[in-house]
Amino acid sequence: APARGGRDVVVDARELRAGVPRALYEGGARLAVEMLEVGDYVLSATIAVERKNVDTGDLDSSLESGRLWAQLRALRAHYATPCLLLEFAAGTRALDARATSTMSLKRVPDRLAKAALEYPDVRLLWSPSADGTAALFRALGDGAPPDVSAAVARREGAASRASRFVEKIPGLEAADARAAAEAAGYSLAGLARLDEAALALVIGAEAARRFVAFCREPLVVVDENTDPVAPARKRARKR
């Protein structure tokens, strides 16, 4: 039996059908198998990995359905170092990454490129096999060990909704949203308490100015009974 002197890894129970948990175990890792909503593998207190297999169509279907975007949003909301792992088995087909003059979201490489551009702080990892993935995880699993209870308690839904909300606020688009969330302790209440000077140190003076200006705008409640545009909106919703 392998010596259990390796690092702790929290594994989503649905990953047991893959070869990675076995490779981790044979390499000496101590596995905590749980039902995880955020991530497939939690390697430390700050590192979590979403694994996609190219051969099984897992990557294709996640990109097609938009599921990957929700998974990456949740990873970013809960972990300081979110990772997306693309795993290729032996003899796999290669991703068609030929250069083109336009981006077509019908192509898997283009969809993947779009995800990488929208979430630049998500580390993109590549592995040729389950054994390669296990070796990569052993190299990455540094720092404080994962908290199993915290990993299980993390929920994708609320984090995903909050993340989508924050990313639409002027001044907090794209990577700035993650930096601001980290400075606010990953809390909307904490974000509201940050002043312009504190935000400027994190996301820059212009982005901080836009955010504060947006927050200070008067909140106007529109009465659909008097709003001349409301009937048109109602008709549009019925279509």
Side-chain angles (χ1 to χ4, degrees), residues 228-239:
V229 183
R233 285 202 299 265
K234 288 181 180 178
R235 288 194 298 271
R237 284 198 294 266
K238 290 180 181 179
R239 290 175 184 172

Side-chain angles (χ1 to χ4, degrees), residues 26-101:
E26 291 178 345
R30 297 183 295 265
L31 304 183
V33 180
E34 303 285 350
M35 290 297 293
L36 301 180
E37 281 199 21
V38 179
D40 292 322
Y41 298 87
V42 181
L43 307 183
S44 73
T46 59
I47 302 174
V49 181
E50 184 69 34
R51 186 185 72 90
K52 297 296 179 186
N53 191 289
V54 175
D55 303 273
T56 62
D58 184 24
L59 175 64
D60 299 46
S61 62
S62 294
L63 288 167
E64 177 73 28
S65 66
R67 170 78 173 143
L68 182 63
W69 275 260
Q71 292 171 323
L72 296 184
R73 278 194 297 266
L75 279 176
R76 294 171 72 238
H78 288 295
Y79 294 96
T81 308
C83 302
L84 172 62
L85 171 78
L86 302 182
E87 189 177 279
F88 298 81
T92 186
R93 63 176 177 81
L95 284 175
D96 181 7
R98 289 173 296 178
T100 59
S101 58

Side-chain angles (χ1 to χ4, degrees), residues 4-234:
R4 302 267 71 83
R7 294 194 57 83
D8 296 328
V9 178
V10 185
V11 181
D12 182 26
R14 287 157 292 201
E15 282 288 302
L16 292 179
R17 292 171 291 182
V20 178
R22 180 182 180 88
L24 285 168
Y25 181 81
E26 291 178 345
R30 297 183 295 265
L31 304 183
V33 180
E34 303 285 350
M35 290 297 293
L36 301 180
E37 281 199 21
V38 179
D40 292 322
Y41 298 87
V42 181
L43 307 183
S44 73
T46 59
I47 302 174
V49 181
E50 184 69 34
R51 186 185 72 90
K52 297 296 179 186
N53 191 289
V54 175
D55 303 273
T56 62
D58 184 24
L59 175 64
D60 299 46
S61 62
S62 294
L63 288 167
E64 177 73 28
S65 66
R67 170 78 173 143
L68 182 63
W69 275 260
Q71 292 171 323
L72 296 184
R73 278 194 297 266
L75 279 176
R76 294 171 72 238
H78 288 295
Y79 294 96
T81 308
C83 302
L84 172 62
L85 171 78
L86 302 182
E87 189 177 279
F88 298 81
T92 186
R93 63 176 177 81
L95 284 175
D96 181 7
R98 289 173 296 178
T100 59
S101 58
T102 59
M103 177 176 284
S104 170
L105 295 184
K106 294 181 179 180
R107 300 175 65 247
V108 169
D110 290 352
R111 286 189 181 129
L112 184 60
K114 184 175 185 292
L117 289 171
E118 291 185 5
Y119 300 104
D121 50 346
V122 174
R123 276 64 167 178
L124 190 58
L125 310 175
W126 303 81
S127 172
S129 65
D131 288 335
T133 298
L136 181 60
F137 285 178
R138 286 193 292 271
L140 289 174
D142 196 10
D147 184 326
V148 178
S149 298
V152 173
R154 291 183 169 116
R155 293 290 179 262
E156 178 181 309
S160 184
R161 290 193 297 271
S163 179
R164 286 197 299 271
F165 169 75
V166 169
E167 287 172 358
K168 293 183 182 298
I169 298 176
L172 297 185
E173 299 89 350
D176 287 339
R178 172 58 189 271
E182 186 173 355
Y186 298 98
S187 161
L188 289 175
L191 183 61
R193 287 192 292 267
L194 292 176
D195 59 21
E196 185 172 346
L199 271 174
L201 294 175
V202 179
I203 62 176
E206 177 59 21
R209 184 197 63 76
R210 293 177 58 223
F211 170 75
V212 172
F214 171 79
C215 291
R216 289 175 177 170
E217 285 186 6
L219 182 61
V220 179
V221 179
V222 178
D223 185 351
E224 291 195 349
N225 295 321
T226 60
D227 181 10
V229 183
R233 285 202 299 265
K234 288 181 180 178

